[in-house]
Amino acid sequence: QSVLTQPPSASGTPGQGVTISCSGSSSKIGTNTVSWYQQLPGTAPKVLIYNNNQRPSGVPDRIYGSKSGTSASLAISGLQSEDEGDYYCATWDDSLHGWVFGGGTKLTVL
Amino acid sequence: EVQLVQSGAEVKKPGESLTISCKGSGYNFATYWIGWVRQMPGKGLEWMGMIYPDDSNTKYSPSFQGQVTISADKSSNTAYLQWSSLKASDTAIYYCARHIGPEPRRIDPWGQGTLVTVSS
């Protein structure tokens, strides 16, 4: 069981929007920033969002991150077939002195 | 361009030892934490631990403490993940990745992954 809780799956049709949630505890999301990672089939993960809502260069602005209290969300608008893959939230754990990941959400574009 | 290039796939028998590597380029390797993440077949990402190459300060996840050894050689910009006695349950893809922090933290970039298969 992962320390951060994500729904196992999410789906939408092309052009629609989808939101993926990530919940944790005060020693994790509550006191540290959240980052999100996209893993397309057969590839290494790549950072999509860091510092709760910052996009690295090259990540389109239809991808949006937010955080409130001990929960965070990743929103993707204008779904495209190439968005299909697995999405993971992650944060620093103050009690573990290390990183923790969510269990991952498999996004399907119908 | 910041890049991490990992060593190739390995096939080993239970009980054998193994070291895989991760070479960084395009940045000051010594002054960024570099860590390892496991992905078992069909499963999610698990953080294993990280090392600061400049002074070899190392942190491990409790789940992996004592099971693997993380090391680094700043003179060759290379990090290593080592097993002394592999088990079938070590079969997984292992990713190295630069860990940026303290806040705002992120893990970026990631290596291409090394597939380790342990089978008799």
Side-chain angles (χ1 to χ4, degrees):
Chain A
Q1 187 143 0
S2 300
V3 175
L4 303 180
T5 302
Q6 297 181 235
S9 63
S11 63
T13 56
Q16 273 191 334
V18 68
T19 300
I20 298 171
S21 62
C22 172
S23 63
S25 66
S26 58
S27 68
K28 304 172 183 62
I29 294 181
T31 52
N32 296 290
T33 61
V34 175
S35 49
W36 289 89
Y37 300 86
Q38 175 193 58
Q39 187 176 32
L40 300 177
T43 70
K46 158 192 149 180
V47 63
L48 274 188
I49 293 286
Y50 68 98
N51 197 17
N52 305 324
N53 56 19
Q54 301 298 300
R55 286 182 298 273
S57 60
V59 175
D61 60 7
R62 62 187 183 85
I63 294 187
Y64 177 80
S66 63
K67 176 187 138 177
S68 178
T70 58
S71 294
S73 294
L74 177 72
I76 305 175
S77 61
L79 275 174
Q80 302 174 4
S81 59
E82 49 264 44
D83 294 326
E84 275 208 345
D86 297 317
Y87 293 78
Y88 297 89
C89 60
T91 191
W92 183 258
D93 186 328
D94 289 333
S95 55
L96 184 68
H97 298 288
W99 282 82
V100 289
F101 286 95
T105 298
K106 184 174 186 62
L107 174 62
T108 302
V109 181
L110 301 168
Chain B
E1 178 196 8
V2 177
Q3 199 172 9
L4 296 171
V5 177
Q6 299 184 227
S7 51
E10 302 274 1
V11 179
K12 291 289 190 179
K13 290 181 168 34
E16 291 186 331
S17 63
L18 174 66
T19 299
I20 62 175
S21 66
C22 168
K23 185 173 176 62
S25 61
Y27 73 102
N28 188 344
F29 182 82
T31 58
Y32 284 86
W33 291 86
I34 187 156
W36 292 90
V37 175
R38 182 175 79 174
Q39 187 167 40
M40 298 178 75
K43 301 298 183 183
L45 304 175
E46 301 174 88
W47 187 77
M48 301 176 71
M50 62 186 186
I51 188 166
Y52 193 73
D54 203 35
D55 62 6
S56 293
N57 185 12
T58 310
K59 300 181 189 294
Y60 291 94
S61 162
S63 299
F64 293 94
Q65 179 85 48
Q67 307 304 308
V68 296
T69 300
I70 295 171
S71 60
D73 177 2
K74 63 182 180 180
S75 68
S76 63
N77 290 356
T78 304
Y80 302 95
L81 180 63
Q82 180 183 0
W83 293 262
S84 59
S85 181
L86 286 161
K87 302 186 281 286
S89 57
D90 292 319
T91 295
I93 297 174
Y94 294 87
Y95 295 100
C96 68
R98 185 177 66 164
H99 287 36
I100 298 172
E103 297 294 355
R105 290 187 173 90
R106 64 186 183 274
I107 300 176
D108 178 49
W110 297 60
Q112 83 276 20
T114 296
L115 174 62
V116 173
T117 303
V118 184
S119 174
S120 53

